[in-house]
Amino acid sequence: VEYHQMLTTSLPPVTLISGVGLLLLAMTARYNIDKRVRQLLRERNSIAPRENQDLNHEIDLIFERASLLRMSILTVVLSATFSGLQVLAGILECLFMLNLDVLKLGALILSIGCLLISTIYFVKEVSLSTKAI
């Protein structure tokens, strides 16, 4: 088994995993909004029983943003998982002289698909956060 062949097979999915990792880092940094929610909930509780529609709207926007980010993070992690499956299939293919092209192609399509879905959720969250400003 050629080490060079295994390395060549594994390089593109590993590169994709690195890029997805950076995207995941940016997403999790935006997800850290719990302090603001707690502050708004305390503020809302302090003015009870009077309703403050602006405050309730801001809290609802934060929860909606968190939901979009959660879905974006989930799908980007799935993308990285399918990329890892590509690496594993490539290594197994080289070690055992198998033909796993269908599995690798399926994992690639799923990985790219999840990445696109994640990007859509992320763009919606960024759009919603700029709307909230």
Side-chain angles (χ1 to χ4, degrees), residues 29-55:
R30 293 184 65 83
Y31 196 68
N32 192 9
I33 54 178
D34 59 340
K35 289 179 184 177
R36 180 67 180 143
V37 170
R38 285 189 189 112
Q39 177 189 3
L40 289 171
L41 289 174
R42 274 195 304 273
E43 189 177 325
R44 183 175 71 180
N45 290 338
S46 71
I47 62 172
R50 195 184 82 213
E51 282 290 315
N52 185 332
Q53 292 300 339
D54 290 338
L55 195 58

Short mmCIF file of all heavy atoms in Angstrom, two decimals, residues 29-55:
data_model
loop_
_atom_site.label_atom_id
_atom_site.label_comp_id
_atom_site.label_asym_id
_atom_site.label_seq_id
_atom_site.Cartn_x
_atom_site.Cartn_y
_atom_site.Cartn_z
N ALA A 29 -19.00 31.28 18.26
CA ALA A 29 -18.74 32.60 18.85
C ALA A 29 -20.01 33.44 18.84
O ALA A 29 -20.28 34.18 19.79
CB ALA A 29 -17.62 33.31 18.09
N ARG A 30 -20.81 33.31 17.80
CA ARG A 30 -22.07 34.06 17.72
C ARG A 30 -23.13 33.46 18.63
O ARG A 30 -24.08 34.13 19.01
CB ARG A 30 -22.58 34.08 16.28
CG ARG A 30 -21.69 34.88 15.35
CD ARG A 30 -22.29 34.95 13.97
NE ARG A 30 -23.55 35.65 13.92
CZ ARG A 30 -23.70 36.98 13.85
NH1 ARG A 30 -22.63 37.75 13.84
NH2 ARG A 30 -24.89 37.52 13.79
N TYR A 31 -22.98 32.19 18.95
CA TYR A 31 -23.98 31.49 19.76
C TYR A 31 -23.91 31.89 21.23
O TYR A 31 -24.83 31.62 22.00
CB TYR A 31 -23.79 29.98 19.61
CG TYR A 31 -24.95 29.15 20.08
CD1 TYR A 31 -26.16 29.17 19.40
CD2 TYR A 31 -24.85 28.34 21.18
CE1 TYR A 31 -27.23 28.41 19.80
CE2 TYR A 31 -25.92 27.56 21.60
CZ TYR A 31 -27.10 27.60 20.90
OH TYR A 31 -28.15 26.84 21.32
N ASN A 32 -22.87 32.54 21.64
CA ASN A 32 -22.66 32.91 23.04
C ASN A 32 -23.49 34.16 23.37
O ASN A 32 -22.97 35.25 23.59
CB ASN A 32 -21.17 33.16 23.30
CG ASN A 32 -20.88 33.26 24.76
OD1 ASN A 32 -21.73 32.97 25.60
ND2 ASN A 32 -19.67 33.65 25.08
N ILE A 33 -24.81 33.98 23.47
CA ILE A 33 -25.71 35.10 23.71
C ILE A 33 -26.51 34.91 24.99
O ILE A 33 -27.44 35.66 25.26
CB ILE A 33 -26.68 35.30 22.51
CG1 ILE A 33 -27.40 34.00 22.18
CG2 ILE A 33 -25.96 35.86 21.31
CD1 ILE A 33 -28.40 34.11 21.04
N ASP A 34 -26.13 33.93 25.80
CA ASP A 34 -26.91 33.60 26.99
C ASP A 34 -26.93 34.72 28.02
O ASP A 34 -27.93 34.94 28.70
CB ASP A 34 -26.45 32.29 27.61
CG ASP A 34 -24.99 32.31 28.00
OD1 ASP A 34 -24.25 33.16 27.48
OD2 ASP A 34 -24.60 31.48 28.84
N LYS A 35 -25.84 35.48 28.15
CA LYS A 35 -25.80 36.59 29.11
C LYS A 35 -26.84 37.66 28.76
O LYS A 35 -27.51 38.19 29.63
CB LYS A 35 -24.41 37.21 29.17
CG LYS A 35 -23.39 36.33 29.82
CD LYS A 35 -22.03 36.99 29.83
CE LYS A 35 -20.99 36.05 30.40
NZ LYS A 35 -19.66 36.61 30.35
N ARG A 36 -26.95 37.94 27.47
CA ARG A 36 -27.91 38.96 27.03
C ARG A 36 -29.34 38.48 27.29
O ARG A 36 -30.18 39.27 27.71
CB ARG A 36 -27.69 39.26 25.55
CG ARG A 36 -28.64 40.30 25.00
CD ARG A 36 -28.40 41.68 25.59
NE ARG A 36 -29.34 42.62 25.03
CZ ARG A 36 -29.90 43.61 25.71
NH1 ARG A 36 -29.59 43.81 26.97
NH2 ARG A 36 -30.74 44.42 25.13
N VAL A 37 -29.62 37.22 27.08
CA VAL A 37 -30.96 36.68 27.33
C VAL A 37 -31.29 36.78 28.81
O VAL A 37 -32.38 37.20 29.19
CB VAL A 37 -31.08 35.23 26.82
CG1 VAL A 37 -32.37 34.59 27.29
CG2 VAL A 37 -31.00 35.18 25.31
N ARG A 38 -30.34 36.39 29.66
CA ARG A 38 -30.57 36.47 31.10
C ARG A 38 -30.84 37.91 31.54
O ARG A 38 -31.73 38.18 32.35
CB ARG A 38 -29.37 35.91 31.86
CG ARG A 38 -29.30 34.41 31.81
CD ARG A 38 -28.23 33.88 32.76
NE ARG A 38 -28.05 32.46 32.54
CZ ARG A 38 -26.97 31.91 32.03
NH1 ARG A 38 -25.94 32.66 31.70
NH2 ARG A 38 -26.88 30.61 31.86
N GLN A 39 -30.08 38.85 31.00
CA GLN A 39 -30.26 40.26 31.33
C GLN A 39 -31.66 40.72 30.91
O GLN A 39 -32.35 41.40 31.69
CB GLN A 39 -29.19 41.10 30.65
CG GLN A 39 -29.34 42.59 30.87
CD GLN A 39 -28.38 43.39 29.99
OE1 GLN A 39 -27.64 42.84 29.19
NE2 GLN A 39 -28.39 44.70 30.16
N LEU A 40 -32.08 40.37 29.71
CA LEU A 40 -33.40 40.78 29.23
C LEU A 40 -34.52 40.12 30.05
O LEU A 40 -35.53 40.77 30.34
CB LEU A 40 -33.56 40.41 27.76
CG LEU A 40 -32.73 41.25 26.78
CD1 LEU A 40 -32.81 40.66 25.38
CD2 LEU A 40 -33.18 42.70 26.78
N LEU A 41 -34.34 38.87 30.43
CA LEU A 41 -35.36 38.20 31.24
C LEU A 41 -35.47 38.84 32.62
O LEU A 41 -36.57 39.02 33.14
CB LEU A 41 -35.06 36.71 31.35
CG LEU A 41 -35.26 35.90 30.06
CD1 LEU A 41 -34.79 34.46 30.25
CD2 LEU A 41 -36.71 35.93 29.61
N ARG A 42 -34.34 39.21 33.22
CA ARG A 42 -34.37 39.90 34.52
C ARG A 42 -35.08 41.24 34.38
O ARG A 42 -35.89 41.63 35.22
CB ARG A 42 -32.95 40.11 35.05
CG ARG A 42 -32.40 38.96 35.84
CD ARG A 42 -31.16 39.35 36.64
NE ARG A 42 -30.10 39.91 35.83
CZ ARG A 42 -29.16 39.19 35.21
NH1 ARG A 42 -29.15 37.89 35.32
NH2 ARG A 42 -28.23 39.77 34.50
N GLU A 43 -34.76 41.94 33.31
CA GLU A 43 -35.39 43.24 33.07
C GLU A 43 -36.89 43.08 32.88
O GLU A 43 -37.68 43.85 33.43
CB GLU A 43 -34.77 43.89 31.83
CG GLU A 43 -35.19 45.31 31.59
CD GLU A 43 -34.47 45.92 30.38
OE1 GLU A 43 -33.28 45.59 30.15
OE2 GLU A 43 -35.11 46.72 29.68
N ARG A 44 -37.29 42.06 32.14
CA ARG A 44 -38.72 41.83 31.92
C ARG A 44 -39.42 41.45 33.22
O ARG A 44 -40.52 41.91 33.49
CB ARG A 44 -38.92 40.73 30.89
CG ARG A 44 -40.40 40.50 30.56
CD ARG A 44 -40.61 39.52 29.46
NE ARG A 44 -40.28 38.19 29.94
CZ ARG A 44 -40.37 37.10 29.20
NH1 ARG A 44 -40.74 37.18 27.94
NH2 ARG A 44 -40.08 35.92 29.69
N ASN A 45 -38.78 40.64 34.03
CA ASN A 45 -39.38 40.23 35.31
C ASN A 45 -39.48 41.40 36.29
O ASN A 45 -40.38 41.43 37.12
CB ASN A 45 -38.59 39.08 35.94
CG ASN A 45 -38.75 37.80 35.15
OD1 ASN A 45 -39.71 37.63 34.41
ND2 ASN A 45 -37.80 36.90 35.30
N SER A 46 -38.57 42.36 36.18
CA SER A 46 -38.59 43.49 37.11
C SER A 46 -39.72 44.47 36.79
O SER A 46 -40.15 45.22 37.66
CB SER A 46 -37.25 44.23 37.10
OG SER A 46 -37.08 44.92 35.88
N ILE A 47 -40.21 44.46 35.56
CA ILE A 47 -41.29 45.39 35.19
C ILE A 47 -42.66 44.71 35.21
O ILE A 47 -43.65 45.33 34.88
CB ILE A 47 -41.05 46.04 33.82
CG1 ILE A 47 -41.01 44.99 32.71
CG2 ILE A 47 -39.82 46.89 33.83
CD1 ILE A 47 -40.98 45.57 31.32
N ALA A 48 -42.70 43.43 35.58
CA ALA A 48 -43.98 42.71 35.64
C ALA A 48 -44.88 43.40 36.66
O ALA A 48 -44.41 43.98 37.62
CB ALA A 48 -43.75 41.26 36.03
N PRO A 49 -46.15 43.41 36.51
CA PRO A 49 -46.97 42.71 35.52
C PRO A 49 -47.16 43.48 34.22
O PRO A 49 -47.80 42.99 33.31
CB PRO A 49 -48.30 42.54 36.25
CG PRO A 49 -48.39 43.73 37.13
CD PRO A 49 -46.98 44.04 37.54
N ARG A 50 -46.58 44.68 34.11
CA ARG A 50 -46.74 45.45 32.88
C ARG A 50 -45.96 44.79 31.74
O ARG A 50 -44.81 44.41 31.90
CB ARG A 50 -46.21 46.88 33.10
CG ARG A 50 -46.65 47.84 32.03
CD ARG A 50 -46.02 49.20 32.24
NE ARG A 50 -44.67 49.12 31.69
CZ ARG A 50 -43.63 49.78 32.17
NH1 ARG A 50 -43.75 50.56 33.21
NH2 ARG A 50 -42.45 49.67 31.62
N GLU A 51 -46.58 44.64 30.61
CA GLU A 51 -45.94 44.02 29.44
C GLU A 51 -45.13 45.06 28.67
O GLU A 51 -45.58 46.17 28.49
CB GLU A 51 -46.98 43.41 28.51
CG GLU A 51 -47.53 42.09 28.97
CD GLU A 51 -46.51 40.98 28.87
OE1 GLU A 51 -45.82 40.86 27.84
OE2 GLU A 51 -46.39 40.23 29.85
N ASN A 52 -43.98 44.68 28.24
CA ASN A 52 -43.15 45.54 27.41
C ASN A 52 -42.95 44.81 26.08
O ASN A 52 -42.16 43.87 25.99
CB ASN A 52 -41.81 45.81 28.10
CG ASN A 52 -40.97 46.80 27.33
OD1 ASN A 52 -41.07 46.91 26.11
ND2 ASN A 52 -40.13 47.51 28.04
N GLN A 53 -43.66 45.25 25.06
CA GLN A 53 -43.64 44.56 23.76
C GLN A 53 -42.25 44.60 23.11
O GLN A 53 -41.84 43.63 22.49
CB GLN A 53 -44.69 45.17 22.82
CG GLN A 53 -46.11 44.91 23.24
CD GLN A 53 -46.44 43.41 23.31
OE1 GLN A 53 -45.79 42.59 22.70
NE2 GLN A 53 -47.46 43.07 24.08
N ASP A 54 -41.54 45.71 23.26
CA ASP A 54 -40.20 45.80 22.67
C ASP A 54 -39.26 44.78 23.30
O ASP A 54 -38.47 44.13 22.60
CB ASP A 54 -39.62 47.21 22.86
CG ASP A 54 -40.34 48.23 22.00
OD1 ASP A 54 -40.96 47.83 20.99
OD2 ASP A 54 -40.29 49.43 22.35
N LEU A 55 -39.34 44.65 24.61
CA LEU A 55 -38.49 43.70 25.32
C LEU A 55 -38.84 42.26 24.92
O LEU A 55 -37.95 41.45 24.65
CB LEU A 55 -38.66 43.89 26.83
CG LEU A 55 -37.64 43.25 27.74
CD1 LEU A 55 -36.24 43.75 27.41
CD2 LEU A 55 -37.98 43.59 29.18
#
